[in-house]
Amino acid sequence: IHFLTKNHFLYRYPNMGNLLKVLTCTDLEQEPNFFLDFENAQPTEAEREVWEQVDVVLKDAKGILDELQAYKGAGQEIRDAIQNPNDEALQEQAWAAVVPLVGKLKKFYEFSQRLEAALHSLLGALTNETYSDPTQHLEREQALAKQFAEILHFTLRFDELKMTNPAIQNDFSYYRRTLSRMRINNVPAEGENEVNNELANRISLFYADATPMLKTLSDGTTKFVSENKTLPIENTTDCLSTMASVCKVMLETPEYRSRFTSEETVSFCLRVMVGVIILYDYVHPVGAFAKSSKIDMKGCIKVLKDQPQNSVEGLLNALRYTTKHLNDESTNKTIKSMLQ
């Protein structure tokens, strides 16, 4: 008789997963075991309406990342203007350089608002009562799960680029200082219609955060939970922990991993796993690192450490420095030392 390993068996007979779970009854029986097709998932009729709403937003995500990556800032012009306060020509040059950049920063901020609305639609679909548990939701609504993953992937990438670009905050604070000086002196500023004072405050707060997109997502998820009072918080946090487990299982299972046609899907999967862990850590009352957490943190960190180091150092740093509960007393010592 041809002997099949558990994972091979599931690969051949994917619908037998639940029976097998009952028969093997492992200690982590919640660990979902299915292939989430991040490369080819297409929306079913039931998913289409939400999928199309979110797709409109995601179509713009790559352009936003490209613009952020190319963002050079007006550092030199600003320095020249500050060092020569009486040289009007230099003041005008700096202002002319900063105004279009502020237009870009406003555009990024406005995109974060659209992304939050898209996240709301997805969470609504992935946590409702259509299916009895989050594994079924993710397994049967793969196109929506893929979009959720794409939002997480974008978020981590955006924040990585923002963190390494100090020009963003320098440009914006110069813009605000200059604008208020112009107001005091009653100088008309053509850049002012770009960003009024109230919007400037919100944009300023957005960029003041080390990881602004992640903060937008975690605030948006928390808001989703508080607005949907009839929905148990577990529906949302279990959706997140299940997504982390699905990514981990696919990455550590050769039968699944070999189905990725591109190496990029591996790094996509790793980034999504980390993004969803961080989101869970913000939204779950005790976070991702506590004993009661439904995420196998040791397993997830091990998967990261099994990759070539240069490809995952940024992701390990994201777990080290952008999570909320890692340094809590209650965090397991082994997990802390794995991340040192």
Side-chain angles (χ1 to χ4, degrees), residues 320-335:
R320 287 176 189 126
Y321 307 121
T322 65
T323 44
K324 189 176 175 183
H325 293 283
L326 174 63
N327 295 315
D328 288 5
E329 281 297 297
S330 55
T331 296
N332 180 305
K333 300 278 183 292
T334 318
I335 293 174

Side-chain angles (χ1 to χ4, degrees), residues 9-59:
F9 179 81
L10 287 169
Y11 176 60
R12 294 268 296 273
Y13 309 104
N15 297 329
M16 297 295 280
N18 290 334
L19 172 64
L20 207 63
K21 273 179 213 157
V22 174
L23 295 177
T24 52
C25 208
T26 50
D27 53 343
L28 255 174
E29 74 271 285
Q30 300 97 326
E31 194 148 83
N33 207 320
F34 67 91
F35 184 77
L36 178 43
D37 195 347
F38 282 143
E39 291 175 337
N40 309 303
Q42 293 301 317
T44 58
E45 268 318 299
E47 294 169 274
R48 189 166 303 281
E49 190 185 339
V50 171
W51 186 89
E52 283 173 353
Q53 286 170 21
V54 177
D55 188 54
V56 172
V57 179
L58 283 171
K59 275 198 169 87

Side-chain angles (χ1 to χ4, degrees), residues 77-91:
E77 292 90 336
I78 291 172
R79 273 192 298 280
D80 292 345
I82 290 171
Q83 282 160 9
N84 304 280
N86 300 320
D87 187 327
E88 268 314 304
L90 287 176
Q91 308 308 310

